[in-house]
Amino acid sequence: MELKANPKLRGKGVIIESKLDKGRGPVATLIVESGTLQVGEPFIVGCHFGKVRALIADSGKKIKKAAPSTPVEIVGLPDVPQPGDHFIVVHDEKKALSLI
C-alpha cells in the first residue's frame, strides 16, 4: 500500500488525546493526515474554532509547520476537544464561523 499525502493542501487530521494544561490552556495531540499545519492558521475542531498559537513536536521542540503523518501537540484551542474529533484548517475565521 503506497499511501501518499499532498503536503501542499490545507492541513486536516484527527485528535489523539487532549488535556487542560494550567500554563498553556487546552492542549491536544493530533496526527496530520493530509496537508500541512502551520502556526497562525485558523482551524475547526469538533464544534469549535481557533488559531494555531504553537506547534510542539514529539521531541518537545517548537516547530513552525507539521507535514503529513506528523504527530504534533497544538496550543491555541478554545476548549478541550474529544479524542477522535477531526480538525481542518480553513481559509479565515469568517469561514470557520459559517461552518460551525
Side-chain angles (χ1 to χ4, degrees):
M1 292 181 16
E2 295 180 30
L3 301 175
K4 297 179 182 179
N6 187 351
K8 296 179 182 178
L9 300 175
R10 290 192 186 120
K12 62 181 177 178
V14 66
I15 303 292
I16 298 172
E17 61 181 14
S18 58
K19 63 184 176 184
L20 183 60
D21 190 306
K22 279 190 175 183
R24 301 183 292 172
V27 177
T29 303
L30 52 91
I31 293 281
V32 179
E33 293 178 333
S34 67
T36 302
L37 182 62
Q38 298 181 15
V39 174
E41 290 183 319
F43 65 91
I44 297 174
V45 61
C47 61
H48 304 288
F49 79 95
K51 203 170 206 177
V52 179
R53 289 190 320 204
L55 293 172
I56 302 165
D58 56 350
S59 63
K61 295 181 181 179
K62 286 189 177 183
I63 57 175
K64 296 199 184 271
K65 61 182 177 178
S69 76
T70 305
V72 67
E73 199 171 69
I74 185 171
V75 179
L77 299 160
D79 198 9
V80 179
Q82 296 294 317
D85 279 353
H86 291 275
F87 80 91
I88 186 165
V89 173
V90 291
H91 183 61
D92 58 15
E93 291 181 26
K94 289 181 184 178
K95 176 92 172 178
L97 287 172
S98 68
L99 293 174
I100 295 180

